[in-house]
Amino acid sequence: MKTAIYPGSFDPITNGHLDIIKRASELFDRVIVAVIKNPSKKSQFSLADRVEMIKKCVPGVIVESFDGLLVEYARQKGAKTIVRGLRAVSDFDYEFQMALTNRKMAPTIETIFLMTDYRYSYLSSSFVKQIAALGGDVSELVPAPVAKKLKKRGE
Ligand code: COA
């Protein structure tokens, strides 16, 4: 059974993340979406909310939370692959650094990158939150349950 971990803060999940999850699911027997408990940046949504929104958007996919080192979590899950999305050249430095650091700690765990769909190459969770907070329409950027939640917050 080939397991891959797709980690992130998902604050909140966007259509760009969904696209990566769907495509990774075609490549692996099992994809675990792993939501980091305490992201280094301050999250707007609680861990429970972030997990719940993903579960609503991708029924059938395993969604869990994790704390501590990603490679340790991957080991516990028997996953040999970490999946990350690449949007633009600007993502590269950070992702490269993270992938090499993870490989140093866990040489048997490989990070693979899926190029984001061109429709989402500019998309980020921060922009989505900003647009929603200012009353903009995010319905084409995030799945319906997330748009609903963001709208509720703004009311
Ligand atoms: N579509 C849309 N947005 C995307 C995207 C895509 N395909 N891919 C990335 N993004 C955006 C996210 O929306 C997010 O935007 P934001 O900054 O506005 O919130 C940003 O890119 C990056 O977020 P994310 O992919 O969630 O990654 P992260 O940097 O928040 O989290 C972890 C990275 C969780 C994988 C990393 O911090 C980690 O592994 N931590 C555990 C501790 C550890 O092991 N440390 C050692 C690692 S070197």
Side-chain angles (χ1 to χ4, degrees), residues 6-12 14-20 34 36 39-41 66-71 84-87 91 94-95 97-99 101-102 105 114 116 120 123-127 129:
Y6 180 42
S9 42
F10 303 106
D11 184 41
T14 68
N15 286 343
H17 295 125
L18 269 189
D19 167 61
I20 301 288
I36 188 163
S40 46
K41 51 200 172 190
F66 79 101
D67 213 358
L69 285 177
L70 174 61
V71 289
R84 294 284 291 167
L86 267 188
R87 289 167 301 173
D91 280 343
Y94 174 61
E95 293 297 339
Q97 210 178 345
M98 206 154 63
T101 309
N102 282 335
M105 291 188 284
L114 296 181
T116 193
Y120 311 124
L123 194 53
S124 80
S125 301
S126 304
F127 279 145
K129 283 180 283 193

mmCIF file of all heavy atoms in Angstrom, residues 6-12 14-20 34 36 39-41 66-71 84-87 91 94-95 97-99 101-102 105 114 116 120 123-127 129, ligand 1:
data_model
loop_
_atom_site.group_PDB
_atom_site.id
_atom_site.type_symbol
_atom_site.label_atom_id
_atom_site.label_comp_id
_atom_site.label_asym_id
_atom_site.label_seq_id
_atom_site.Cartn_x
_atom_site.Cartn_y
_atom_site.Cartn_z
ATOM 1 N N TYR A 6 0.085 14.606 2.578
ATOM 2 C CA TYR A 6 0.005 15.968 2.040
ATOM 3 C C TYR A 6 -0.165 16.915 3.231
ATOM 4 O O TYR A 6 -1.263 17.050 3.769
ATOM 5 C CB TYR A 6 -1.169 16.075 1.054
ATOM 6 C CG TYR A 6 -1.335 17.462 0.445
ATOM 7 C CD1 TYR A 6 -0.241 18.206 0.011
ATOM 8 C CD2 TYR A 6 -2.595 18.031 0.288
ATOM 9 C CE1 TYR A 6 -0.394 19.473 -0.541
ATOM 10 C CE2 TYR A 6 -2.757 19.289 -0.273
ATOM 11 C CZ TYR A 6 -1.651 20.006 -0.673
ATOM 12 O OH TYR A 6 -1.808 21.262 -1.222
ATOM 13 N N PRO A 7 0.944 17.540 3.668
ATOM 14 C CA PRO A 7 0.872 18.353 4.892
ATOM 15 C C PRO A 7 0.655 19.838 4.587
ATOM 16 O O PRO A 7 0.981 20.314 3.502
ATOM 17 C CB PRO A 7 2.278 18.165 5.471
ATOM 18 C CG PRO A 7 3.148 18.061 4.254
ATOM 19 C CD PRO A 7 2.320 17.450 3.149
ATOM 20 N N GLY A 8 0.142 20.532 5.569
ATOM 21 C CA GLY A 8 0.000 21.978 5.416
ATOM 22 C C GLY A 8 -0.766 22.571 6.571
ATOM 23 O O GLY A 8 -1.208 21.856 7.480
ATOM 24 N N SER A 9 -0.918 23.881 6.514
ATOM 25 C CA SER A 9 -1.688 24.533 7.580
ATOM 26 C C SER A 9 -3.172 24.614 7.201
ATOM 27 O O SER A 9 -4.018 24.653 8.076
ATOM 28 C CB SER A 9 -1.116 25.911 7.908
ATOM 29 O OG SER A 9 -0.765 26.603 6.743
ATOM 30 N N PHE A 10 -3.457 24.671 5.919
ATOM 31 C CA PHE A 10 -4.848 24.647 5.424
ATOM 32 C C PHE A 10 -5.734 25.621 6.195
ATOM 33 O O PHE A 10 -6.753 25.232 6.765
ATOM 34 C CB PHE A 10 -5.420 23.223 5.474
ATOM 35 C CG PHE A 10 -4.613 22.225 4.710
ATOM 36 C CD1 PHE A 10 -3.812 21.292 5.375
ATOM 37 C CD2 PHE A 10 -4.622 22.206 3.322
ATOM 38 C CE1 PHE A 10 -3.034 20.372 4.663
ATOM 39 C CE2 PHE A 10 -3.859 21.288 2.603
ATOM 40 C CZ PHE A 10 -3.071 20.375 3.283
ATOM 41 N N ASP A 11 -5.329 26.878 6.169
ATOM 42 C CA ASP A 11 -6.040 27.890 6.980
ATOM 43 C C ASP A 11 -6.680 28.952 6.090
ATOM 44 O O ASP A 11 -6.222 30.101 6.106
ATOM 45 C CB ASP A 11 -5.033 28.520 7.954
ATOM 46 C CG ASP A 11 -5.689 29.496 8.906
ATOM 47 O OD1 ASP A 11 -6.795 29.186 9.383
ATOM 48 O OD2 ASP A 11 -5.118 30.567 9.180
ATOM 49 N N PRO A 12 -7.683 28.656 5.313
ATOM 50 C CA PRO A 12 -8.381 27.382 5.146
ATOM 51 C C PRO A 12 -7.930 26.678 3.851
ATOM 52 O O PRO A 12 -7.151 27.224 3.079
ATOM 53 C CB PRO A 12 -9.838 27.844 4.964
ATOM 54 C CG PRO A 12 -9.690 29.134 4.174
ATOM 55 C CD PRO A 12 -8.401 29.763 4.642
ATOM 56 N N THR A 14 -8.101 25.571 0.104
ATOM 57 C CA THR A 14 -8.560 26.310 -1.086
ATOM 58 C C THR A 14 -8.739 25.326 -2.247
ATOM 59 O O THR A 14 -8.357 24.145 -2.144
ATOM 60 C CB THR A 14 -7.509 27.359 -1.521
ATOM 61 O OG1 THR A 14 -6.363 26.653 -2.005
ATOM 62 C CG2 THR A 14 -7.114 28.273 -0.390
ATOM 63 N N ASN A 15 -9.241 25.844 -3.362
ATOM 64 C CA ASN A 15 -9.375 24.983 -4.551
ATOM 65 C C ASN A 15 -8.013 24.501 -5.052
ATOM 66 O O ASN A 15 -7.907 23.444 -5.665
ATOM 67 C CB ASN A 15 -10.091 25.751 -5.664
ATOM 68 C CG ASN A 15 -11.573 25.892 -5.384
ATOM 69 O OD1 ASN A 15 -12.122 25.171 -4.539
ATOM 70 N ND2 ASN A 15 -12.233 26.814 -6.060
ATOM 71 N N GLY A 16 -6.979 25.289 -4.773
ATOM 72 C CA GLY A 16 -5.626 24.877 -5.177
ATOM 73 C C GLY A 16 -5.189 23.635 -4.407
ATOM 74 O O GLY A 16 -4.640 22.683 -4.983
ATOM 75 N N HIS A 17 -5.445 23.618 -3.110
ATOM 76 C CA HIS A 17 -5.121 22.430 -2.302
ATOM 77 C C HIS A 17 -5.942 21.225 -2.777
ATOM 78 O O HIS A 17 -5.425 20.111 -2.880
ATOM 79 C CB HIS A 17 -5.446 22.667 -0.818
ATOM 80 C CG HIS A 17 -4.625 23.725 -0.146
ATOM 81 N ND1 HIS A 17 -5.173 24.789 0.515
ATOM 82 C CD2 HIS A 17 -3.274 23.859 -0.017
ATOM 83 C CE1 HIS A 17 -4.211 25.545 1.035
ATOM 84 N NE2 HIS A 17 -3.051 25.007 0.723
ATOM 85 N N LEU A 18 -7.230 21.493 -3.038
ATOM 86 C CA LEU A 18 -8.114 20.390 -3.468
ATOM 87 C C LEU A 18 -7.597 19.718 -4.730
ATOM 88 O O LEU A 18 -7.631 18.493 -4.870
ATOM 89 C CB LEU A 18 -9.513 20.945 -3.779
ATOM 90 C CG LEU A 18 -10.529 20.978 -2.663
ATOM 91 C CD1 LEU A 18 -11.890 21.334 -3.234
ATOM 92 C CD2 LEU A 18 -10.609 19.617 -1.987
ATOM 93 N N ASP A 19 -7.139 20.556 -5.654
ATOM 94 C CA ASP A 19 -6.604 20.045 -6.915
ATOM 95 C C ASP A 19 -5.406 19.115 -6.658
ATOM 96 O O ASP A 19 -5.310 18.032 -7.238
ATOM 97 C CB ASP A 19 -6.201 21.256 -7.776
ATOM 98 C CG ASP A 19 -5.363 20.889 -8.971
ATOM 99 O OD1 ASP A 19 -5.862 20.123 -9.812
ATOM 100 O OD2 ASP A 19 -4.198 21.347 -9.068
ATOM 101 N N ILE A 20 -4.549 19.527 -5.726
ATOM 102 C CA ILE A 20 -3.377 18.689 -5.404
ATOM 103 C C ILE A 20 -3.845 17.371 -4.761
ATOM 104 O O ILE A 20 -3.344 16.286 -5.095
ATOM 105 C CB ILE A 20 -2.418 19.438 -4.443
ATOM 106 C CG1 ILE A 20 -1.918 20.752 -5.059
ATOM 107 C CG2 ILE A 20 -1.252 18.533 -4.016
ATOM 108 C CD1 ILE A 20 -0.919 20.618 -6.180
ATOM 109 N N ALA A 34 -2.543 15.996 6.147
ATOM 110 C CA ALA A 34 -2.067 16.177 7.521
ATOM 111 C C ALA A 34 -2.041 17.662 7.865
ATOM 112 O O ALA A 34 -1.275 18.437 7.299
ATOM 113 C CB ALA A 34 -0.671 15.562 7.664
ATOM 114 N N ILE A 36 -1.272 20.671 10.213
ATOM 115 C CA ILE A 36 -0.356 20.959 11.329
ATOM 116 C C ILE A 36 -1.122 21.643 12.463
ATOM 117 O O ILE A 36 -1.918 22.556 12.236
ATOM 118 C CB ILE A 36 0.870 21.790 10.857
ATOM 119 C CG1 ILE A 36 1.897 21.905 11.980
ATOM 120 C CG2 ILE A 36 0.470 23.170 10.347
ATOM 121 C CD1 ILE A 36 3.264 22.326 11.526
ATOM 122 N N PRO A 39 0.782 25.880 13.435
ATOM 123 C CA PRO A 39 1.607 26.428 12.356
ATOM 124 C C PRO A 39 2.475 27.579 12.872
ATOM 125 O O PRO A 39 2.101 28.245 13.843
ATOM 126 C CB PRO A 39 0.583 26.957 11.344
ATOM 127 C CG PRO A 39 -0.760 26.832 11.942
ATOM 128 C CD PRO A 39 -0.649 26.121 13.254
ATOM 129 N N SER A 40 3.617 27.801 12.223
ATOM 130 C CA SER A 40 4.506 28.882 12.681
ATOM 131 C C SER A 40 3.825 30.238 12.516
ATOM 132 O O SER A 40 4.054 31.156 13.279
ATOM 133 C CB SER A 40 5.827 28.829 11.928
ATOM 134 O OG SER A 40 5.586 28.665 10.566
ATOM 135 N N LYS A 41 2.955 30.338 11.497
ATOM 136 C CA LYS A 41 2.184 31.584 11.373
ATOM 137 C C LYS A 41 0.873 31.422 12.141
ATOM 138 O O LYS A 41 0.384 30.295 12.297
ATOM 139 C CB LYS A 41 1.929 31.886 9.895
ATOM 140 C CG LYS A 41 1.336 30.722 9.138
ATOM 141 C CD LYS A 41 1.529 30.830 7.652
ATOM 142 C CE LYS A 41 1.071 29.533 7.005
ATOM 143 N NZ LYS A 41 1.412 29.404 5.624
ATOM 144 N N PHE A 66 -1.364 16.783 12.961
ATOM 145 C CA PHE A 66 -0.088 16.311 13.484
ATOM 146 C C PHE A 66 0.647 17.461 14.168
ATOM 147 O O PHE A 66 0.391 18.634 13.907
ATOM 148 C CB PHE A 66 0.777 15.669 12.387
ATOM 149 C CG PHE A 66 1.493 16.663 11.497
ATOM 150 C CD1 PHE A 66 2.841 16.954 11.687
ATOM 151 C CD2 PHE A 66 0.823 17.303 10.473
ATOM 152 C CE1 PHE A 66 3.510 17.866 10.870
ATOM 153 C CE2 PHE A 66 1.467 18.232 9.664
ATOM 154 C CZ PHE A 66 2.809 18.505 9.847
ATOM 155 N N ASP A 67 1.559 17.049 15.022
ATOM 156 C CA ASP A 67 2.365 17.988 15.779
ATOM 157 C C ASP A 67 3.794 17.491 15.695
ATOM 158 O O ASP A 67 4.010 16.312 15.495
ATOM 159 C CB ASP A 67 1.881 17.932 17.246
ATOM 160 C CG ASP A 67 2.014 19.270 17.899
ATOM 161 O OD1 ASP A 67 2.508 20.200 17.253
ATOM 162 O OD2 ASP A 67 1.622 19.385 19.089
ATOM 163 N N GLY A 68 4.755 18.352 15.859
ATOM 164 C CA GLY A 68 6.147 17.889 15.856
ATOM 165 C C GLY A 68 6.673 17.749 14.439
ATOM 166 O O GLY A 68 6.143 18.350 13.502
ATOM 167 N N LEU A 69 7.685 16.911 14.300
ATOM 168 C CA LEU A 69 8.349 16.796 13.001
ATOM 169 C C LEU A 69 7.488 16.040 11.986
ATOM 170 O O LEU A 69 6.959 14.966 12.280
ATOM 171 C CB LEU A 69 9.677 16.060 13.143
ATOM 172 C CG LEU A 69 10.846 16.837 13.759
ATOM 173 C CD1 LEU A 69 12.061 15.931 13.886
ATOM 174 C CD2 LEU A 69 11.186 18.075 12.938
ATOM 175 N N LEU A 70 7.429 16.602 10.793
ATOM 176 C CA LEU A 70 6.644 15.974 9.734
ATOM 177 C C LEU A 70 7.180 14.582 9.381
ATOM 178 O O LEU A 70 6.418 13.639 9.171
ATOM 179 C CB LEU A 70 6.666 16.883 8.492
ATOM 180 C CG LEU A 70 6.021 16.342 7.238
ATOM 181 C CD1 LEU A 70 4.542 16.067 7.450
ATOM 182 C CD2 LEU A 70 6.212 17.324 6.078
ATOM 183 N N VAL A 71 8.510 14.456 9.319
ATOM 184 C CA VAL A 71 9.070 13.156 8.929
ATOM 185 C C VAL A 71 8.764 12.064 9.970
ATOM 186 O O VAL A 71 8.600 10.900 9.621
ATOM 187 C CB VAL A 71 10.592 13.223 8.630
ATOM 188 C CG1 VAL A 71 10.868 13.970 7.342
ATOM 189 C CG2 VAL A 71 11.384 13.810 9.779
ATOM 190 N N ARG A 84 3.909 17.919 -1.994
ATOM 191 C CA ARG A 84 3.728 19.370 -1.839
ATOM 192 C C ARG A 84 3.346 19.953 -3.194
ATOM 193 O O ARG A 84 3.730 19.423 -4.242
ATOM 194 C CB ARG A 84 5.027 20.024 -1.354
ATOM 195 C CG ARG A 84 5.442 19.610 0.039
ATOM 196 C CD ARG A 84 4.647 20.266 1.131
ATOM 197 N NE ARG A 84 4.909 21.691 1.245
ATOM 198 C CZ ARG A 84 4.149 22.517 1.962
ATOM 199 N NH1 ARG A 84 3.061 22.073 2.583
ATOM 200 N NH2 ARG A 84 4.457 23.791 2.031
ATOM 201 N N GLY A 85 2.605 21.039 -3.154
ATOM 202 C CA GLY A 85 2.241 21.718 -4.404
ATOM 203 C C GLY A 85 3.218 22.850 -4.658
ATOM 204 O O GLY A 85 3.681 23.485 -3.720
ATOM 205 N N LEU A 86 3.527 23.081 -5.930
ATOM 206 C CA LEU A 86 4.389 24.214 -6.290
ATOM 207 C C LEU A 86 3.572 25.163 -7.141
ATOM 208 O O LEU A 86 3.047 24.772 -8.186
ATOM 209 C CB LEU A 86 5.589 23.742 -7.107
ATOM 210 C CG LEU A 86 6.890 23.398 -6.416
ATOM 211 C CD1 LEU A 86 7.968 23.162 -7.457
ATOM 212 C CD2 LEU A 86 7.340 24.449 -5.411
ATOM 213 N N ARG A 87 3.453 26.403 -6.697
ATOM 214 C CA ARG A 87 2.658 27.357 -7.467
ATOM 215 C C ARG A 87 3.509 28.176 -8.416
ATOM 216 O O ARG A 87 3.206 28.335 -9.565
ATOM 217 C CB ARG A 87 1.910 28.294 -6.510
ATOM 218 C CG ARG A 87 0.783 27.615 -5.774
ATOM 219 C CD ARG A 87 0.303 28.473 -4.647
ATOM 220 N NE ARG A 87 1.403 28.747 -3.718
ATOM 221 C CZ ARG A 87 1.339 29.578 -2.697
ATOM 222 N NH1 ARG A 87 0.255 30.256 -2.486
ATOM 223 N NH2 ARG A 87 2.373 29.740 -1.899
ATOM 224 N N ASP A 91 7.779 29.845 -4.672
ATOM 225 C CA ASP A 91 7.637 28.748 -3.700
ATOM 226 C C ASP A 91 8.912 27.918 -3.607
ATOM 227 O O ASP A 91 9.131 27.203 -2.632
ATOM 228 C CB ASP A 91 6.509 27.777 -4.129
ATOM 229 C CG ASP A 91 5.127 28.285 -3.778
ATOM 230 O OD1 ASP A 91 5.029 29.200 -2.940
ATOM 231 O OD2 ASP A 91 4.145 27.753 -4.335
ATOM 232 N N TYR A 94 11.779 27.995 -0.521
ATOM 233 C CA TYR A 94 11.254 27.465 0.739
ATOM 234 C C TYR A 94 11.048 25.957 0.651
ATOM 235 O O TYR A 94 11.447 25.193 1.537
ATOM 236 C CB TYR A 94 9.953 28.204 1.043
ATOM 237 C CG TYR A 94 9.162 27.714 2.231
ATOM 238 C CD1 TYR A 94 9.704 27.725 3.509
ATOM 239 C CD2 TYR A 94 7.844 27.273 2.080
ATOM 240 C CE1 TYR A 94 8.957 27.299 4.600
ATOM 241 C CE2 TYR A 94 7.095 26.838 3.158
ATOM 242 C CZ TYR A 94 7.655 26.848 4.420
ATOM 243 O OH TYR A 94 6.911 26.415 5.487
ATOM 244 N N GLU A 95 10.451 25.522 -0.456
ATOM 245 C CA GLU A 95 10.159 24.086 -0.616
ATOM 246 C C GLU A 95 11.443 23.273 -0.744
ATOM 247 O O GLU A 95 11.535 22.162 -0.213
ATOM 248 C CB GLU A 95 9.260 23.861 -1.848
ATOM 249 C CG GLU A 95 7.865 24.441 -1.711
ATOM 250 C CD GLU A 95 7.047 23.808 -0.575
ATOM 251 O OE1 GLU A 95 7.364 22.681 -0.148
ATOM 252 O OE2 GLU A 95 6.106 24.464 -0.099
ATOM 253 N N GLN A 97 14.394 24.024 0.474
ATOM 254 C CA GLN A 97 15.019 23.988 1.792
ATOM 255 C C GLN A 97 14.325 22.951 2.685
ATOM 256 O O GLN A 97 14.978 22.154 3.362
ATOM 257 C CB GLN A 97 14.843 25.370 2.409
ATOM 258 C CG GLN A 97 15.923 25.760 3.355
ATOM 259 C CD GLN A 97 15.664 27.181 3.871
ATOM 260 O OE1 GLN A 97 14.854 27.928 3.324
ATOM 261 N NE2 GLN A 97 16.335 27.545 4.920
ATOM 262 N N MET A 98 12.999 22.960 2.634
ATOM 263 C CA MET A 98 12.241 22.050 3.491
ATOM 264 C C MET A 98 12.470 20.590 3.051
ATOM 265 O O MET A 98 12.688 19.709 3.879
ATOM 266 C CB MET A 98 10.754 22.408 3.398
ATOM 267 C CG MET A 98 9.980 22.017 4.599
ATOM 268 S SD MET A 98 8.517 23.056 4.807
ATOM 269 C CE MET A 98 7.568 22.713 3.367
ATOM 270 N N ALA A 99 12.442 20.376 1.743
ATOM 271 C CA ALA A 99 12.616 19.011 1.226
ATOM 272 C C ALA A 99 14.005 18.468 1.581
ATOM 273 O O ALA A 99 14.149 17.314 1.992
ATOM 274 C CB ALA A 99 12.410 18.989 -0.289
ATOM 275 N N THR A 101 15.965 19.475 4.052
ATOM 276 C CA THR A 101 16.068 19.290 5.506
ATOM 277 C C THR A 101 15.376 17.994 5.918
ATOM 278 O O THR A 101 15.903 17.210 6.707
ATOM 279 C CB THR A 101 15.434 20.493 6.249
ATOM 280 O OG1 THR A 101 15.985 21.675 5.721
ATOM 281 C CG2 THR A 101 15.693 20.420 7.738
ATOM 282 N N ASN A 102 14.213 17.774 5.344
ATOM 283 C CA ASN A 102 13.489 16.537 5.665
ATOM 284 C C ASN A 102 14.271 15.312 5.185
ATOM 285 O O ASN A 102 14.310 14.289 5.860
ATOM 286 C CB ASN A 102 12.093 16.567 5.036
ATOM 287 C CG ASN A 102 11.135 17.431 5.833
ATOM 288 O OD1 ASN A 102 11.316 17.629 7.038
ATOM 289 N ND2 ASN A 102 10.127 17.964 5.188
ATOM 290 N N MET A 105 17.008 14.445 7.563
ATOM 291 C CA MET A 105 16.527 13.763 8.777
ATOM 292 C C MET A 105 16.005 12.359 8.475
ATOM 293 O O MET A 105 16.089 11.469 9.308
ATOM 294 C CB MET A 105 15.392 14.586 9.423
ATOM 295 C CG MET A 105 15.860 15.887 10.021
ATOM 296 S SD MET A 105 14.535 16.693 10.952
ATOM 297 C CE MET A 105 13.525 17.351 9.641
ATOM 298 N N LEU A 114 3.870 18.530 -7.032
ATOM 299 C CA LEU A 114 2.914 18.587 -8.135
ATOM 300 C C LEU A 114 2.752 20.058 -8.498
ATOM 301 O O LEU A 114 2.530 20.898 -7.616
ATOM 302 C CB LEU A 114 1.565 17.987 -7.719
ATOM 303 C CG LEU A 114 1.567 16.499 -7.372
ATOM 304 C CD1 LEU A 114 0.151 16.036 -7.005
ATOM 305 C CD2 LEU A 114 2.089 15.644 -8.527
ATOM 306 N N THR A 116 0.953 23.205 -9.508
ATOM 307 C CA THR A 116 -0.437 23.574 -9.318
ATOM 308 C C THR A 116 -1.120 23.819 -10.668
ATOM 309 O O THR A 116 -0.452 24.117 -11.659
ATOM 310 C CB THR A 116 -0.533 24.854 -8.440
ATOM 311 O OG1 THR A 116 -1.865 25.026 -8.030
ATOM 312 C CG2 THR A 116 -0.091 26.089 -9.184
ATOM 313 N N TYR A 120 -4.910 28.184 -10.311
ATOM 314 C CA TYR A 120 -4.718 28.471 -8.885
ATOM 315 C C TYR A 120 -3.300 28.930 -8.561
ATOM 316 O O TYR A 120 -2.898 28.949 -7.406
ATOM 317 C CB TYR A 120 -5.050 27.220 -8.057
ATOM 318 C CG TYR A 120 -6.364 26.600 -8.423
ATOM 319 C CD1 TYR A 120 -6.460 25.261 -8.804
ATOM 320 C CD2 TYR A 120 -7.530 27.370 -8.421
ATOM 321 C CE1 TYR A 120 -7.673 24.698 -9.155
ATOM 322 C CE2 TYR A 120 -8.748 26.815 -8.782
ATOM 323 C CZ TYR A 120 -8.812 25.481 -9.140
ATOM 324 O OH TYR A 120 -10.020 24.934 -9.495
ATOM 325 N N LEU A 123 -3.096 31.670 -6.044
ATOM 326 C CA LEU A 123 -3.983 31.528 -4.888
ATOM 327 C C LEU A 123 -3.224 31.233 -3.593
ATOM 328 O O LEU A 123 -2.283 30.456 -3.583
ATOM 329 C CB LEU A 123 -4.943 30.370 -5.206
ATOM 330 C CG LEU A 123 -6.185 30.191 -4.353
ATOM 331 C CD1 LEU A 123 -6.989 31.470 -4.294
ATOM 332 C CD2 LEU A 123 -7.035 29.067 -4.945
ATOM 333 N N SER A 124 -3.644 31.866 -2.507
ATOM 334 C CA SER A 124 -3.108 31.486 -1.193
ATOM 335 C C SER A 124 -4.208 31.649 -0.159
ATOM 336 O O SER A 124 -5.150 32.425 -0.351
ATOM 337 C CB SER A 124 -1.903 32.348 -0.819
ATOM 338 O OG SER A 124 -2.334 33.593 -0.330
ATOM 339 N N SER A 125 -4.066 30.949 0.938
ATOM 340 C CA SER A 125 -5.074 31.023 2.007
ATOM 341 C C SER A 125 -5.164 32.446 2.554
ATOM 342 O O SER A 125 -6.248 32.924 2.871
ATOM 343 C CB SER A 125 -4.725 30.042 3.117
ATOM 344 O OG SER A 125 -4.671 28.736 2.607
ATOM 345 N N SER A 126 -4.023 33.131 2.645
ATOM 346 C CA SER A 126 -4.039 34.502 3.180
ATOM 347 C C SER A 126 -4.870 35.430 2.306
ATOM 348 O O SER A 126 -5.656 36.228 2.811
ATOM 349 C CB SER A 126 -2.630 35.077 3.259
ATOM 350 O OG SER A 126 -1.820 34.261 4.010
ATOM 351 N N PHE A 127 -4.680 35.322 0.981
ATOM 352 C CA PHE A 127 -5.454 36.192 0.088
ATOM 353 C C PHE A 127 -6.946 35.898 0.205
ATOM 354 O O PHE A 127 -7.766 36.803 0.209
ATOM 355 C CB PHE A 127 -4.993 36.028 -1.365
ATOM 356 C CG PHE A 127 -3.744 36.812 -1.674
ATOM 357 C CD1 PHE A 127 -2.790 36.327 -2.553
ATOM 358 C CD2 PHE A 127 -3.522 38.053 -1.074
ATOM 359 C CE1 PHE A 127 -1.631 37.049 -2.827
ATOM 360 C CE2 PHE A 127 -2.369 38.781 -1.344
ATOM 361 C CZ PHE A 127 -1.417 38.285 -2.224
ATOM 362 N N LYS A 129 -8.538 34.809 2.782
ATOM 363 C CA LYS A 129 -9.048 35.381 4.038
ATOM 364 C C LYS A 129 -9.200 36.890 3.917
ATOM 365 O O LYS A 129 -10.171 37.467 4.378
ATOM 366 C CB LYS A 129 -8.087 35.046 5.189
ATOM 367 C CG LYS A 129 -8.222 33.610 5.665
ATOM 368 C CD LYS A 129 -7.271 33.303 6.791
ATOM 369 C CE LYS A 129 -5.873 33.101 6.289
ATOM 370 N NZ LYS A 129 -4.949 32.518 7.244
HETATM 371 N N1 COA B 1 -2.946 26.051 -3.840
HETATM 372 C C1 COA B 1 -3.231 27.118 -3.093
HETATM 373 N N2 COA B 1 -2.456 27.556 -2.097
HETATM 374 C C2 COA B 1 -1.349 26.862 -1.851
HETATM 375 C C3 COA B 1 -0.990 25.736 -2.588
HETATM 376 C C4 COA B 1 -1.835 25.333 -3.625
HETATM 377 N N3 COA B 1 -1.570 24.287 -4.398
HETATM 378 N N4 COA B 1 0.186 25.276 -2.117
HETATM 379 C C5 COA B 1 0.528 26.083 -1.109
HETATM 380 N N5 COA B 1 -0.397 27.049 -0.958
HETATM 381 C C6 COA B 1 -0.359 28.174 -0.025
HETATM 382 C C7 COA B 1 -1.152 27.987 1.207
HETATM 383 O O1 COA B 1 -2.474 28.470 1.021
HETATM 384 C C8 COA B 1 -0.371 28.825 2.193
HETATM 385 O O2 COA B 1 -0.779 30.165 2.079
HETATM 386 P P1 COA B 1 -0.654 31.184 3.285
HETATM 387 O O3 COA B 1 0.802 31.346 3.563
HETATM 388 O O4 COA B 1 -1.306 32.379 2.762
HETATM 389 O O5 COA B 1 -1.377 30.553 4.457
HETATM 390 C C9 COA B 1 1.065 28.714 1.712
HETATM 391 O O6 COA B 1 0.981 28.322 0.379
HETATM 392 C C10 COA B 1 1.916 27.676 2.371
HETATM 393 O O7 COA B 1 1.131 26.898 3.202
HETATM 394 P P2 COA B 1 1.112 25.349 3.373
HETATM 395 O O8 COA B 1 1.200 24.628 2.101
HETATM 396 O O9 COA B 1 -0.058 25.066 4.224
HETATM 397 O O10 COA B 1 2.436 25.087 4.075
HETATM 398 P P3 COA B 1 2.949 25.694 5.406
HETATM 399 O O11 COA B 1 4.158 26.434 5.027
HETATM 400 O O12 COA B 1 1.918 26.425 6.145
HETATM 401 O O13 COA B 1 3.236 24.376 6.222
HETATM 402 C C11 COA B 1 4.471 22.363 6.768
HETATM 403 C C12 COA B 1 4.338 23.641 5.945
HETATM 404 C C13 COA B 1 3.315 22.120 7.690
HETATM 405 C C14 COA B 1 4.571 21.243 5.783
HETATM 406 C C15 COA B 1 5.797 22.547 7.549
HETATM 407 O O14 COA B 1 5.736 23.721 8.309
HETATM 408 C C16 COA B 1 6.111 21.377 8.449
HETATM 409 O O15 COA B 1 6.407 20.322 7.987
HETATM 410 N N6 COA B 1 6.073 21.587 9.765
HETATM 411 C C17 COA B 1 6.340 20.529 10.760
HETATM 412 C C18 COA B 1 7.642 20.758 11.499
HETATM 413 C C19 COA B 1 8.785 20.178 10.724
HETATM 414 O O16 COA B 1 8.856 19.010 10.426
HETATM 415 N N7 COA B 1 9.745 21.056 10.446
HETATM 416 C C20 COA B 1 10.886 20.716 9.665
HETATM 417 C C21 COA B 1 10.586 20.948 8.200
HETATM 418 S S1 COA B 1 12.001 21.520 7.394
#
